[in-house]
Amino acid sequence: MLVPEEAFAESTLFPKNNMQLKFLLTIVITLVISCTTQKKYDLIIRNGMIYNGSGGNPFRGDIGINKDTIAFIGDLSDANSESVIDAAGLVVAPGFINMLSWATESLITDGNSQSDIRQGVTLEVMGEGDSMGPLNDSLRKMIVESQGVFKYPVQWTTLGEYLTYLEKKGISSNVASFIGATTVRMHVVGEDNRDPTESELVRMKLLVRQAMQEGAMGVGSSLIYPPAFFAKTNELIELCREAAHFNGMYISHIRSEGNRLYEALEELITISKEAGIRAEVYHLKAAGRNNWKKIDSVIRRIERARKEKLDITADMYNYTAGATGLTAAFPPSLQDGGFHKLRMRLQNRAIRARMSEMMKSNPAEWENLYYAAGGAENVRLLGFRQDSLKKFLGKTLAEVAAIRNKNPEETAMDLIVQDSSRIEVAYFLMNEENVRKQIALPWISFGSDAGSYANEGVFLDFNPHPRAYGNFSRLLGKYVREEKVIPLAEAIRKLTLLPATNLRVKKRGMLKEGYFADIVVFDSAAIADNATFDQPHRYASGMKDVLVNGVRVLSNGNHTTAKPGRFVKGPGFKGN
């Protein structure tokens, strides 16, 4: 009897019957298929511990990628590729989604998105109240005049044009955005404290419709700050109804995170119910020592709304300090008409005397972050426009007041007038117990509430909140590995599939065949945040490889300078 090799040789040369011919054809076809399989993948990730984003148990396996797509997940031991990532001993997961990104300007300056890419962020979601479109002549002028360390021409008008501009310019991460309710209001009404007329409201809704058709994720608001503060609930409901027609979402920095936290949350729930729209609370918190105890009631209210079939979620950053403008120490009435009028008012002696007292008060009708932080020693200065004031970067307001031999309230007003800006500061407002409690909630995702920076060049001209360099790595290192607040699989779900589902983003947020290859590879034993308030420009560690749309933007911890990022469009995009 012939052995298979002999049978093959004899059949190849002298096929004497149909059986031999069929045997020959089978072997030839098998060889062809085998060769094809071995050349199938542009890149293979081998031997990783795969967390697919669902929150389920991980499994060891390989991932094959063709162009921008995950082509296969399983055993690829027999496959070959010219590009291979050895993920033995490492975690392989979907790319992380930053639900609150302020990389609007930093990505124009530097598309590498270093501080976020090095944490595994592959999608930046923008639009907290202010968005980079739609613009008119006055808004375009305002953007140019308010530019600080980031200088750039404004070469777009609509929000969709801005996101397309980023994509064409070249960015390492994907980008998406909500349309800002503040931007829409300023586009039509301006900065004055008044309601829109009926015709103005129609124009505002048309702007929302256009943005949704261009790919916006929904409507974003930031109701604590003027002029957004001047918008009433009914105005927001009308804008959200327009977004709901396109399956969009409402996301909000609610009107109060402190003294009127309950009422502010109720407003968001009312908007969700009346507009028939999914809604999310930006950076959920109970701000100010007197309000820390409110968080349990807030959680119970959201969970009751969810049981009532309202799709209410929230996101957060993993720190006890927030960051915003020093102007958040003043009442909205002082800011009626915009920053230039505020600056003029702060040069009036009578107004200054009244504001000094108001800064030390705990008003019910507006959110005084200066008081909530507990005073000037808990307010740290992060960013100035004027070079002459940058010597105060990193100092507390109390320290600068002592240097200038003035009280902190007078010092705050002087600095705003001298810098001609709202001045970026950090307010220490929250407590650690509440941070841990929120992280454990199944409906919480995560956002940095910061830009994406680099530890060089123009970025060193200001001190960002360390969340810009560490928010996501801090979750995985401090709260997952060290403190075991939640398991790693659950943390990855809350960084990936949960926000992708909330946004209704297609084919992202999971490791699944046919999905876009946004993938991270990291060492779960080493991932950590390293940025502090004293040394904020320090990259996170432990992230090894990051792929965006199948392209390696981080390779063995080093940025490749590749820029495959895309404009990720929302569910109302006209082309979907």
Side-chain angles (χ1 to χ4, degrees):
M1 182 175 178
L2 294 173
V3 296
E5 290 83 354
E6 293 168 324
F8 171 69
E10 181 170 324
S11 298
T12 303
L13 296 174
F14 307 106
K16 294 180 179 178
N17 54 50
N18 286 339
M19 283 292 291
Q20 289 179 329
L21 184 58
K22 287 179 181 178
F23 182 59
L24 169 63
L25 290 174
T26 299
I27 291 176
V28 171
I29 292 169
T30 301
L31 287 171
V32 170
I33 292 173
S34 176
C35 291
T36 303
T37 301
Q38 289 180 344
K39 297 178 181 178
K40 186 176 181 181
Y41 304 107
D42 298 330
L43 184 148
I44 295 176
I45 302 174
R46 293 195 186 279
N47 304 317
M49 187 58 69
I50 296 174
Y51 290 75
N52 67 7
S54 69
N57 292 330
F59 58 92
R60 192 171 304 282
D62 310 321
I63 300 177
I65 297 162
N66 278 335
K67 295 183 179 179
D68 63 357
T69 302
I70 297 171
F72 182 84
I73 301 175
D75 184 1
L76 290 174
S77 55
D78 293 334
N80 289 319
S81 175
E82 292 184 3
S83 183
V84 174
I85 296 174
D86 183 2
L90 303 174
V91 170
V92 181
F96 303 156
I97 296 175
N98 184 352
M99 276 299 292
L100 175 46
S101 170
W102 276 107
T104 44
E105 294 183 309
S106 59
L107 285 177
I108 298 174
T109 299
D110 180 5
N112 287 322
S113 192
Q114 291 261 17
S115 64
D116 269 357
I117 286 292
R118 290 172 179 273
Q119 296 183 77
V121 172
T122 59
L123 174 58
E124 306 275 3
V125 186
M126 309 162 185
E128 186 199 3
D130 292 303
S131 56
M132 295 297 268
L135 305 179
N136 54 20
D137 289 343
S138 63
L139 287 174
R140 183 176 282 104
K141 180 181 178 183
M142 187 180 299
I143 288 177
V144 172
E145 289 180 348
S146 64
Q147 287 176 8
V149 297
F150 304 125
K151 309 291 186 185
Y152 53 91
V154 182
Q155 299 179 346
W156 61 87
T157 298
T158 71
L159 180 58
E161 288 170 354
Y162 161 74
L163 294 165
T164 301
Y165 166 81
L166 283 184
E167 179 179 281
K168 290 182 177 178
K169 186 176 186 296
I171 45 177
S172 293
S173 57
N174 296 311
V175 290
S177 183
F178 289 85
I179 180 171
T182 310
T183 301
V184 170
R185 177 172 243 274
M186 292 175 67
H187 192 288
V188 177
V189 177
E191 296 185 79
D192 297 336
N193 183 6
R194 68 173 179 85
D195 294 337
T197 64
E198 187 174 333
S199 62
E200 285 174 335
L201 188 56
V202 170
R203 286 168 56 198
M204 292 166 72
K205 292 173 69 174
L206 288 174
L207 290 174
V208 171
R209 179 185 303 178
Q210 179 186 16
M212 294 302 298
Q213 291 174 334
E214 288 182 331
M217 293 291 162
V219 172
S221 70
S222 188
L223 302 177
I224 191 175
Y225 307 114
F229 180 89
F230 305 140
K232 294 185 174 63
T233 305
N234 285 341
E235 176 184 322
L236 296 164
I237 289 172
E238 288 302 309
L239 297 185
C240 286
R241 280 177 175 155
E242 195 64 43
H245 289 317
F246 300 92
N247 199 22
M249 179 181 179
Y250 175 57
I251 189 165
S252 179
H253 181 152
I254 56 179
R255 208 173 289 270
S256 170
E257 297 173 325
N259 292 346
R260 295 182 63 82
L261 175 57
Y262 297 146
E263 295 88 342
L265 176 61
E266 209 59 48
E267 180 184 34
L268 177 129
I269 292 171
T270 297
I271 291 169
S272 173
K273 185 183 299 183
E274 294 297 318
I277 195 168
R278 305 184 309 284
E280 177 155 318
V281 180
Y282 269 134
H283 44 56
L284 180 66
K285 66 174 76 71
R289 181 179 295 274
N290 295 339
N291 299 305
W292 289 349
K293 63 182 179 295
K294 293 180 179 180
I295 197 65
D296 291 332
S297 296
V298 166
I299 292 168
R300 285 195 297 270
R301 181 64 184 100
I302 292 175
E303 292 185 336
R304 180 158 61 88
R306 289 171 61 82
K307 288 179 181 177
E308 295 167 355
K309 307 303 180 185
L310 291 177
D311 200 345
I312 309 295
T313 53
D315 56 64
M316 66 179 290
Y317 48 79
N318 306 305
Y319 296 82
T320 57
T324 186
L326 187 54
T327 50
F330 303 124
S333 58
L334 193 70
Q335 304 176 59
D336 187 357
F339 176 79
H340 291 298
K341 290 188 177 180
L342 165 68
R343 186 172 182 273
M344 290 176 61
R345 290 170 184 140
L346 289 180
Q347 297 175 70
N348 180 293
R349 286 187 179 182
I351 292 176
R352 285 173 68 95
R354 193 161 66 250
M355 287 306 106
S356 286
E357 294 306 310
M358 292 193 75
M359 286 178 70
K360 293 179 284 187
S361 72
N362 186 24
E365 64 275 12
W366 60 280
E367 198 92 331
N368 184 352
L369 297 191
Y370 178 78
Y371 179 89
E377 62 274 14
N378 292 322
V379 180
R380 189 181 286 248
L381 302 167
L382 302 180
F384 296 95
R385 294 179 67 184
Q386 305 301 324
D387 290 341
S388 60
L389 296 175
K390 290 179 181 177
K391 60 190 175 185
F392 298 134
L393 284 175
K395 296 185 183 301
T396 67
L397 180 60
E399 289 171 334
V400 176
I403 292 170
R404 291 189 160 198
N405 199 28
K406 283 191 173 184
N407 67 52
E409 295 76 31
E410 287 282 340
T411 301
M413 289 183 275
D414 288 344
L415 290 173
I416 289 169
V417 171
Q418 292 162 11
D419 199 55
S420 194
S421 83
R422 61 200 290 266
I423 299 180
E424 288 296 314
V425 300
Y427 292 103
F428 288 81
L429 300 165
M430 288 76 74
N431 78 330
E432 188 66 28
E433 181 183 349
N434 283 353
V435 170
R436 294 190 187 95
K437 190 175 294 183
Q438 292 175 203
I439 287 172
L441 296 169
W443 36 265
I444 287 272
S445 55
F446 299 92
S448 68
D449 197 4
S452 187
Y453 307 131
N455 61 3
E456 60 186 352
V458 68
F459 298 106
L460 300 182
D461 288 345
F462 62 95
N463 279 17
H465 190 301
R467 65 194 181 191
Y469 283 80
N471 190 62
F472 307 95
S473 297
R474 184 177 179 83
L475 171 69
L476 298 172
K478 175 179 172 63
Y479 293 108
V480 173
R481 183 183 64 245
E482 295 175 8
E483 300 187 8
K484 296 178 173 52
V485 175
I486 54 175
L488 179 57
E490 174 65 357
I492 289 171
R493 182 190 71 84
K494 286 152 63 69
L495 288 166
T496 59
L497 182 60
L498 174 62
T501 302
N502 292 341
L503 293 166
R504 301 300 190 263
V505 170
K506 294 183 177 180
K507 295 186 177 181
R508 298 186 195 270
M510 276 196 81
L511 297 182
K512 186 175 180 180
E513 292 173 11
Y515 274 46
F516 291 104
D518 295 341
I519 302 174
V520 299
V521 181
F522 64 92
D523 185 348
S524 61
I527 195 159
D529 64 299
N530 299 309
T532 65
F533 280 101
D534 292 326
Q535 294 182 298
H537 291 285
R538 297 172 65 184
Y539 292 131
S541 52
M543 188 63 60
K544 300 297 185 181
D545 293 271
V546 176
L547 277 66
V548 176
N549 298 311
V551 178
R552 215 166 168 180
V553 295
L554 197 72
S555 177
N556 198 27
N558 298 308
H559 203 294
T560 67
T561 72
K563 297 182 176 66
R566 296 176 185 168
F567 168 12
V568 175
K569 299 172 179 66
F573 176 57
K574 203 185 309 186
N576 281 0

